[in-house]
Amino acid sequence: MEYVKGKSYFCFSEQKIKQYNYLNEDIKCDILIIGRGIDGAIANFYLSQKFNVVLVNKGRLGMACTSCATALLEYQLDDFASDLLKYMSKEEIIATYKMGLDATKKIKSFINTYGNHCNFALRPTFLYTNSIFTVNKIKEEYNFRISNGFNCQLFDKSNNPFPFDIKCGIFAKDGGCEFNPYLFTKQMIENSKNQDKIFENTNIKHLIKTKNGYTAKTNFREIINCKKVLIATGFNWEVLNCNDLCDRFITYSIVTSPIKELSWLDKALIHDASSPYHYMRTLPDGRIIFSGEDTIFNGSMIKENKCIKKYKKLEKDLLKLLPNIKDKINIDYKFYGCFGTTKNNLGLIGKSKIDDNILLFISCGANGIINAMKGIEIIEDIIQEKYNPLSDIFSPKRKV
Ligand SMILES: Cc1cc2nc3c(=O)[nH]c(=O)nc-3n(C[C@H](O)[C@H](O)[C@H](O)COP(=O)(O)OP(=O)(O)OC[C@H]3O[C@@H](n4cnc5c(N)ncnc54)[C@H](O)[C@@H]3O)c2cc1C
């Protein structure tokens, strides 16, 4: 099954990736993390500071969905707060917005300690619409944020500072950040405490319940005995023999060639809230990454001609959005990947329905990555049998 396809911009880096061995002996640990995309890397970095952790991945570092994440790291969720009230209380929505803001601080603190080797930058966010049908929703969201203490500003046609048309939009000065997701994953892995317990090219084929936890069997028949298994396999759930943890979609991206003097207000992360939605940001070498055009992922490959149509549609919409620079826009990269969604927009983080010793760490939605940064604290609390106030809204046992 293919979860990503195309030439991802983010993996083409000068930085050499450290290669890890495959597992060639039987071992024991407290926690086995399966999957070494960005979620597995975040989990491994934090959990290995407290527990005996083994990390395995079937391929090489961050080459799955992580390699194509647009990496708009924002505190807002996919849906408006007013729509999320069906699934969460007002207090829970506010807590998840705050969680997003705290996650940005946590990433910044990691970068301050280990250096900025992943093009990290703080950025404002801009959630806008150019459709009259969405204007009221944007205004309602703005009022929700202002009345709950979130610092933001409303722009409309009369004071629009952006080089594209808007009817209305919310500008959040401290709304988020950006980085190269592949390089951030590399940095997290290479700064983890358990360097001798990280294995690549190690595919977990079977999980067998035992008296004290689980036995995992690899493709080479090595055995890992552990107390708990943390599933960080992204949207590939073959190891659990299931395909219905949450809804899955394919989202498509194009990356332009560098555009001279490209800029818009503070290089904000841009999210068009109309339907179909698009999202975009600038890249450090003056390119634009533009994404969206989601289609349902049913487990089978996306046909080549469908991809071509989607990339063409993205290009057409980008040219329409930025007519003043349309002559300078050439497309250098095109790629797509799978991502998951849930009703309350939050990831699946916590004890699985299958067994309490199988924990899920699967980030979903538009700000999955940012929520994983704080979501790992839910996992730490579960392992230490502590209460975490956010565990219910992320629980894999909830209705998704
Ligand atoms: C085009 C696109 C744009 C996106 N934009 C954003 C965005 O702007 N902001 C945001 O927050 N998120 C975004 N996302 C979502 C984000 O990419 C994902 O949430 C994130 O990358 C998931 O990371 P992961 O580590 O869980 O999964 P992956 O990166 O898919 O890693 C899972 C790993 O598990 C391994 N694995 C699977 N099964 C096994 C097994 N049995 N044994 C061993 N290893 C196994 C795989 O080989 C893989 O390396 C976007 C996604 C796409 C596709």
Side-chain angles (χ1 to χ4, degrees), residues 17-56:
I17 304 289
K18 179 172 170 183
Q19 185 157 9
Y20 292 88
N21 290 332
Y22 63 90
L23 181 70
N24 61 4
E25 60 180 356
D26 295 351
I27 48 170
K28 266 190 192 167
C29 61
D30 292 336
I31 299 147
L32 167 65
I33 302 177
I34 309 178
R36 204 185 53 176
I38 198 162
D39 288 353
I42 292 170
N44 189 65
F45 177 82
Y46 290 105
L47 297 183
S48 66
Q49 294 172 10
K50 293 187 181 162
F51 312 103
N52 176 6
V53 175
V54 164
L55 172 66
V56 294

Side-chain angles (χ1 to χ4, degrees), residues 54-308:
V54 164
L55 172 66
V56 294
N57 195 70
K58 68 176 172 187
R60 289 210 64 189
L61 172 93
M63 294 304 287
C65 297
T66 296
S67 67
C68 50
T70 311
L72 268 79
L73 308 170
E74 318 171 83
Y75 75 83
Q76 69 210 9
L77 302 174
D78 302 69
D79 294 323
F80 294 112
S82 55
D83 295 330
L84 288 168
L85 282 169
K86 270 182 255 162
Y87 309 107
M88 290 192 280
S89 67
K90 181 180 153 198
E91 289 68 31
E92 286 170 335
I93 298 168
I94 295 169
T96 57
Y97 281 15
K98 287 192 175 148
M99 180 181 180
L101 292 172
D102 287 347
T104 298
K105 289 186 197 141
K106 199 168 167 186
I107 297 171
K108 189 164 175 267
S109 149
F110 172 84
I111 297 292
N112 287 345
T113 309
Y114 296 98
N116 189 353
H117 306 296
C118 58
N119 300 321
F120 167 82
L122 291 171
R123 296 283 184 232
T125 58
F126 187 53
L127 178 71
Y128 84 99
T129 185
N130 198 23
S131 156
I132 44 164
F133 302 109
T134 317
V135 168
N136 284 342
K137 280 282 181 190
I138 293 270
K139 288 187 177 162
E140 201 178 20
E141 175 71 20
Y142 170 75
N143 289 332
F144 177 85
R145 293 197 201 177
I146 288 293
S147 60
N148 290 297
F150 295 94
N151 180 18
C152 52
Q153 210 179 331
L154 195 67
F155 288 131
D156 60 23
K157 219 173 157 186
S158 65
N159 62 354
N160 176 14
F162 289 94
F164 46 84
D165 292 337
I166 66 163
K167 292 272 183 295
C168 195
I170 306 167
F171 182 77
K173 185 102 193 83
D174 310 309
C177 60
E178 65 182 32
F179 56 41
N180 175 322
Y182 177 70
L183 295 180
F184 180 75
T185 301
K186 166 181 155 61
Q187 228 185 313
M188 279 250 140
I189 291 285
E190 292 180 5
N191 287 297
S192 289
K193 283 220 157 24
N194 58 342
Q195 289 300 303
D196 57 336
K197 288 179 184 155
I198 298 176
F199 302 97
E200 59 191 351
N201 296 317
T202 303
N203 187 355
I204 300 298
K205 293 302 246 181
H206 304 287
L207 291 172
I208 301 146
K209 194 171 162 62
T210 61
K211 216 170 88 196
N212 302 318
Y214 270 87
T215 291
K217 283 194 179 167
T218 75
N219 47 332
F220 298 121
R221 300 213 188 106
E222 266 73 36
I223 280 175
I224 306 165
N225 283 312
C226 59
K227 291 182 191 150
K228 291 192 191 298
V229 180
L230 187 76
I231 303 290
T233 56
F235 308 103
N236 172 347
W237 311 314
E238 282 160 38
V239 70
L240 296 177
N241 288 320
C242 70
N243 59 12
D244 59 353
L245 291 181
C246 66
D247 289 338
R248 291 181 287 185
F249 289 85
I250 292 288
T251 183
Y252 302 80
S253 281
I254 54 172
V255 175
T256 68
S257 50
I259 301 166
K260 262 198 186 153
E261 289 156 30
L262 169 75
S263 195
W264 54 69
L265 184 60
D266 296 339
K267 296 187 174 165
L269 312 175
I270 312 283
H271 212 122
D272 176 358
S274 314
S275 181
Y277 70 94
H278 292 124
Y279 46 107
M280 68 173 177
R281 68 174 175 98
T282 58
L283 292 166
D285 51 1
R287 300 170 192 265
I288 298 171
I289 180 166
F290 187 69
S291 310
E293 291 301 318
D294 303 357
T295 49
I296 286 173
F297 176 71
N298 57 13
S300 57
M301 273 174 63
I302 305 290
K303 291 202 177 96
E304 195 59 31
N305 60 350
K306 188 169 184 181
C307 297
I308 295 170

